[in-house]
Amino acid sequence: MTSQDAPPLVFQVFNEIGIIEQLSRTVLEAHMPKGLIAPHFGVLNHLVRVGDGSTPMAMARAFQVPKTSMTHTVSGLVKHELVEMRPNPEDGRSKQVWLTDAGRALRARIISDMSPQFERLARDFDISKLQHILPVLTELRIYLDESRDRV
Amino acid sequence: MTSQDAPPLVFQVFNEIGIIEQLSRTVLEAHMPKGLIAPHFGVLNHLVRVGDGSTPMAMARAFQVPKTSMTHTVSGLVKHELVEMRPNPEDGRSKQVWLTDAGRALRARIISDMSPQFERLARDFDISKLQHILPVLTELRIYLDESRDRV
DNA sequence: CTATATTGGTGCAATATCGCACTAAAGGAG
DNA sequence: CTCCTTTAGTGCGATATTGCACCAATATAG
């Protein structure tokens, strides 16, 4: 019975990460309008930060989700008129996703709505600890990402 | 445009955590039999570690998911005969979830199947870094958990 | 150039997630 | 005890996720 009493370190890390992901996603979604969830925000945020005109497949790869999932998420944003699809002039197979003004505005509003919570966390929590773990998380993410297809 | 070029630290941490969660979940699910996904493993693992006979609601709270989601997950495990439901002798409203031998065996097999990958990660990655971030992740998880209903 | 392989996107079906409403049991106020 | 509230669980419907199959466009082999 020893093995199950002492879960390996890696296991524990992934476990905590899973719980944090769930809790933080819930917080995010509490600030989103009805009908939109975390993946929608992810796409809006991605388009603002990386730039408009990305293709659905490029975003599916960026988020590591199947292309059908990205099609579905983007179509939800189109329905809410937060992005619009345009043909890709460089490749007849693909499309480009462009933000609308409403899309930009919604993303900005969600972020500003959440800022009090971030600030409270920054007050209550030792931020330097987060600064220390961020590079490790990034390294771990890169490792997992690169080992993804080798498995 | 400055605010969106420099996402706050907390934002970045949650972002990395979200990606790691997704990648690690994919790894886990690659080791699970067809028809079972990460939440099923979560419940099996929980029952082994915390002990048999927990109620669906207790687990819903532990995993921070709606009770309907837990009902669904547990019913999938029942269908695969990995757990069984019994009436709760102490409360006529609720039930208890007990592992079957097959449930215990499957959980053990999944863990042992994944151990080579954990070991490879332990070789390729500086484990002491994970040791350093684990307590911070735990602290962050506890903070979010406690602030969950205050928001 | 032609034939084949690959790639981007979508429709469809199976399953998952989750809010809402409802029932049954338990708890609490009087 | 009775009434009211709370709690555990489930049915149902809306939406999400994802594998599979397919089409159209592009890339590649010969």
Side-chain angles (χ1 to χ4, degrees), chain B residues 11 17 22 45 56 59 63 75 79 86 94-96 104-105 109 112 118 121 125 127 129 134 142 151:
Chain B
F11 205 85
I17 283 177
Q22 177 145 22
N45 197 45
M59 291 195 290
F63 288 96
S75 76
K79 194 169 61 185
R86 302 181 195 165
S94 73
K95 301 179 178 179
Q96 291 180 334
R104 274 176 217 280
R109 190 175 68 69
S112 72
F118 281 155
L121 192 152
F125 204 87
I127 286 300
K129 289 179 183 170
L134 180 56
I142 291 171
V151 179

Side-chain angles (χ1 to χ4, degrees), chain B:
Chain B
M1 288 286 180
T2 311
S3 65
Q4 77 201 25
D5 292 340
L9 172 67
V10 184
F11 205 85
Q12 284 178 280
V13 168
F14 287 142
N15 205 37
E16 293 289 10
I17 283 177
I19 299 171
I20 292 170
E21 187 277 339
Q22 177 145 22
L23 293 170
S24 62
R25 180 164 42 83
T26 301
V27 171
L28 169 64
E29 291 182 347
H31 292 281
M32 299 196 63
K34 183 171 177 133
L36 298 177
I37 58 179
H40 297 121
F41 177 81
V43 169
L44 291 180
N45 197 45
H46 180 85
L47 290 174
V48 167
R49 292 184 52 192
V50 172
D52 270 285
S54 184
T55 70
M57 263 311 290
M59 291 195 290
R61 277 190 281 262
F63 288 96
Q64 306 299 346
V65 297
K67 56 185 180 177
T68 48
S69 305
M70 185 54 65
T71 299
H72 183 78
T73 300
V74 171
S75 76
L77 290 169
V78 169
K79 194 169 61 185
H80 285 80
E81 300 187 350
L82 301 168
V83 302
E84 58 181 36
M85 303 281 264
R86 302 181 195 165
N88 186 343
E90 297 176 4
D91 189 333
R93 293 168 297 184
S94 73
K95 301 179 178 179
Q96 291 180 334
V97 184
W98 292 84
L99 287 160
T100 64
D101 289 343
R104 274 176 217 280
L106 176 62
R107 181 245 180 200
R109 190 175 68 69
I110 291 168
I111 290 179
S112 72
D113 281 2
M114 287 197 303
S115 69
Q117 244 150 312
F118 281 155
E119 283 161 19
R120 190 154 65 83
L121 192 152
R123 269 203 319 282
D124 298 351
F125 204 87
D126 184 351
I127 286 300
S128 74
K129 289 179 183 170
L130 297 184
Q131 257 156 3
H132 286 323
I133 68 171
L134 180 56
V136 182
L137 292 174
T138 303
E139 192 181 347
L140 181 58
R141 184 255 301 163
I142 291 171
Y143 173 83
L144 291 174
D145 200 6
E146 286 174 349
S147 73
R148 180 169 37 105
D149 26 41
R150 295 201 313 259
V151 179

Side-chain angles (χ1 to χ4, degrees), chain A residues 1-73:
Chain A
M1 288 286 180
T2 312
S3 66
Q4 77 201 24
D5 291 340
L9 172 68
V10 184
F11 204 85
Q12 285 179 279
V13 168
F14 287 141
N15 205 35
E16 293 290 11
I17 284 177
I19 299 170
I20 292 170
E21 188 277 336
Q22 179 142 25
L23 293 170
S24 62
R25 181 163 42 83
T26 301
V27 171
L28 169 63
E29 291 182 348
H31 291 280
M32 298 195 63
K34 183 173 178 131
L36 297 176
I37 58 179
H40 297 120
F41 177 81
V43 168
L44 292 181
N45 198 44
H46 179 87
L47 291 173
V48 167
R49 292 185 52 193
V50 173
D52 269 286
S54 185
T55 70
M57 264 309 292
M59 290 195 291
R61 278 190 280 263
F63 288 96
Q64 306 299 345
V65 297
K67 56 185 181 178
T68 48
S69 304
M70 185 53 65
T71 299
H72 183 78
T73 301

